[in-house]
Amino acid sequence: MDISQSMAATKKSSLLQLVPVMLCFFAMGFVDLVGTASNYVQKDLQLTDAQANLFPSLVFFWFLIFSVPTGMLMNRIGRKKTVLISLGVTAVSLIIPLTGEGYWTMLAAFSLLGIGNAIMQTSLNPLVTNLINGDKLASTLTFGQFVKAIASFLAPILAAWGATTYMPTFGLGWRVLFAIYAIVSFLSVSVLAATPIEEERPDKASGPVECMKLLGRPFILLCFLGIMCHVGIDVGTNTTAPKIIMERLALPLEDAGFATGVYFIFRTAGCFLGAFILRSVSARSFFMLSVVMMLVAMAILFTADTLWLIYAGIALIGFGNSNVFSIIFAQALTASPREKNEVSGLMIMGLFGGTVFPLAMGYAADAVGQWGAVAVMIVGVAYLLYYTLKIKRA
C-alpha cells in the first residue's frame, strides 16, 4: 500500500513539474511570430523585400552562434537556470517593440528573440530528460512541439485582431501580439522558477573543442545532419509550396499562400498524434513511415498539376516531417547520456539547415523552376531514409 501511494505521489509530482515545462514550450513558439511580424513591419516602414527578409534570417543565424555555448553554459549553471535566462531574454525582446517601431528597434528585438530561442531550444529539450524516462522521451518531446505549434498558430490571429480592432487607439495595433506574448513569458519565468526540478550533474565542464569533437562520433554526426535535413525540408516547404501553385496553376499569391496554412495544419496534427503513437509504436517504425510519407509527397509535388493534388503532397510533408525532430533529438540524447547538454547544443545548431536548404533551393528554382527546389528537398528526404537504418529498434 505504501509503495502504491509512493508511486502515485511520484507520478503526480512529475505531472506538476511537466506543466510549467510545457508552458515553456509554448513560449518557444514565439519565435515563429517573426514571419507575421516582418510583413507588418515591412508595410509600416515601407521596407524593401531585402530589408524585411533580414528579420527571419536572423533567427537561424543565432542558432549557429549560440547553440554550442549554451550547451557549455548548462554544464556550469544547470538546465533550469539556462531556460530561465532564455525566457528572460525572450521577454525583453518582446517588450522592445512596445517602446518604438523603427527599423533598428525591430532589428534589435528580432535579434534578441532569435538569441533567446536558440538558448531555449538548446536547454529546454534536455531539461525534459530530468522528468521523463528514456522510452517516453520522444513522445513527450513531440507533445512539446505540438504545444509550441499552438503559439505559432496564434501569432497571425492575434496580430490581425490587434490591427483590426480597438487596439490601434492605444498605439499598439498589430503589436499587441508582443504585449500578450511578453505577459506569457513573464508567467513562464515565474512558474518554472517556483517548480523544483532535480538535475543530474555533468561529470565535468566542457569547452567548445570538446563539444565539437562529439561530431566525430558517427551516430551523433548522422543525427546532426538529420536535424539539418528536417529543418531544411520544413523551411523549404513553407517557402516553396505557394510558389509551386503560382508556377503551375497561375494563381495569385493571396490564393496560393493558403498552402503554407495546409502545411502547418497537418504538421500540428502530426505532432499531436505522434505524442500518442510513439508510446505504443517503436521510434524506428514510426520514423520509417514518416519518411515514406515524405517520399510519396515529393513524388506528388514533382509531377502534380492540380490544386488538390498539390495540397495532398504538402499535407503529407507536414504530417511526415512533424515528428522527425523529436525522434532524432531523443536518439541523440540517448546515445550520449553523459553529454546531454553538449549534444543538445549540437543538435540545435543543426537548425542552421533552415538557411542552407532554402538558399540551394532558390538557385535550383532559378535554374529549372520549382522542380529544382523540390529536387533539393528530395536529397534531404533520401538522407532521412538512410538515417532510418541507423535508428535503434527499441
Side-chain angles (χ1 to χ4, degrees):
M1 184 68 176
D2 292 338
I3 295 177
S4 299
Q5 291 177 344
S6 177
M7 291 178 62
T10 301
K11 185 175 181 179
K12 181 178 180 181
S13 176
S14 297
L15 179 61
L16 292 176
Q17 290 174 318
L18 199 58
V19 170
V21 170
M22 287 300 147
L23 184 59
C24 294
F25 271 101
F26 185 84
M28 186 190 292
F30 295 170
V31 72
D32 291 329
L33 66 80
V34 66
T36 297
S38 61
N39 290 329
Y40 282 100
V41 173
Q42 182 176 14
K43 179 180 178 181
D44 291 346
L45 303 182
Q46 299 297 305
L47 303 177
T48 64
D49 286 340
Q51 291 173 320
N53 287 345
L54 182 59
F55 296 130
S57 68
L58 281 173
V59 173
F60 296 104
F61 174 76
W62 296 120
F63 280 118
L64 180 66
I65 300 299
F66 277 87
S67 298
V68 170
T70 298
M72 294 183 290
L73 178 64
M74 284 190 288
N75 282 338
R76 296 182 180 276
I77 68 174
R79 297 164 188 167
K80 177 182 170 180
K81 290 181 179 179
T82 306
V83 173
L84 289 172
I85 290 175
S86 72
L87 290 169
V89 175
T90 299
V92 172
S93 73
L94 295 168
I95 292 174
I96 290 177
L98 304 178
T99 65
E101 53 184 356
Y103 181 75
W104 291 105
T105 298
M106 300 305 294
L107 202 63
F110 286 127
S111 293
L112 284 177
L113 183 62
I115 292 170
N117 200 260
I119 298 173
M120 192 183 308
Q121 294 221 36
T122 304
S123 55
L124 184 57
N125 288 297
L127 181 64
V128 176
T129 65
N130 296 115
L131 306 176
I132 301 299
N133 293 328
D135 58 336
K136 305 297 183 184
L137 181 58
S139 63
T140 303
L141 292 178
T142 292
F143 187 76
Q145 291 297 311
F146 165 72
V147 174
K148 173 180 177 289
I150 295 175
S152 304
F153 265 124
L154 288 177
I157 297 174
L158 291 174
W161 171 74
T164 57
T165 59
Y166 61 87
M167 285 299 169
T169 306
F170 298 92
L172 290 178
W174 67 271
R175 288 181 296 138
V176 70
L177 167 66
F178 290 99
I180 295 173
Y181 278 180
I183 293 172
V184 177
S185 293
F186 284 115
L187 177 63
S188 301
V189 170
S190 302
V191 174
L192 182 63
T195 303
I197 298 178
E198 184 178 350
E199 302 180 40
E200 68 265 23
R201 292 292 180 181
D203 294 335
K204 61 179 180 178
S206 60
V209 176
E210 290 81 359
C211 189
M212 296 303 294
K213 278 184 178 179
L214 290 174
L215 289 177
R217 300 182 185 178
F219 187 69
I220 297 300
L221 178 60
L222 288 172
C223 291
F224 175 80
L225 295 176
I227 293 292
M228 287 194 68
C229 291
H230 155 72
V231 180
I233 294 168
D234 181 65
V235 178
T237 303
N238 290 333
T239 303
T240 304
K243 296 178 181 178
I244 293 175
I245 294 176
M246 289 188 291
E247 179 181 86
R248 298 182 189 174
L249 304 179
L251 292 179
L253 178 59
E254 291 77 11
D255 295 329
F258 182 67
T260 301
V262 172
Y263 176 79
F264 274 116
I265 288 172
F266 281 88
R267 190 175 187 276
T268 303
C271 287
F272 179 75
L273 294 176
F276 300 99
I277 295 173
L278 283 168
R279 291 183 176 273
S280 56
V281 177
S282 71
R284 182 189 179 99
S285 299
F286 191 47
F287 195 91
M288 172 67 80
L289 175 61
S290 299
V291 175
V292 169
M293 290 176 67
M294 286 193 284
L295 276 176
V296 173
M298 294 300 167
I300 292 175
L301 293 184
F302 206 78
T303 59
D305 57 2
T306 62
L307 183 61
W308 291 107
L309 198 55
I310 294 175
Y311 278 164
I314 295 169
L316 283 173
I317 298 175
F319 193 93
N321 205 29
S322 59
N323 299 283
V324 169
F325 175 85
S326 300
I327 294 175
I328 294 178
F329 202 99
Q331 288 280 315
L333 292 180
T334 303
S336 300
R338 294 185 178 181
E339 299 97 3
K340 290 180 180 178
N341 296 341
E342 294 89 339
V343 169
S344 177
L346 289 174
M347 294 303 106
I348 298 303
M349 189 173 71
L351 295 181
F352 188 65
T355 297
V356 176
F357 267 71
L359 183 62
M361 291 168 66
Y363 282 115
D366 287 340
V368 297
Q370 296 306 321
W371 289 276
V374 175
V376 173
M377 289 196 290
I378 290 176
V379 173
V381 177
Y383 176 82
L384 293 177
L385 184 62
Y386 168 73
Y387 176 83
T388 305
L389 304 176
K390 305 298 180 179
I391 295 179
K392 295 181 180 179
R393 294 184 181 275

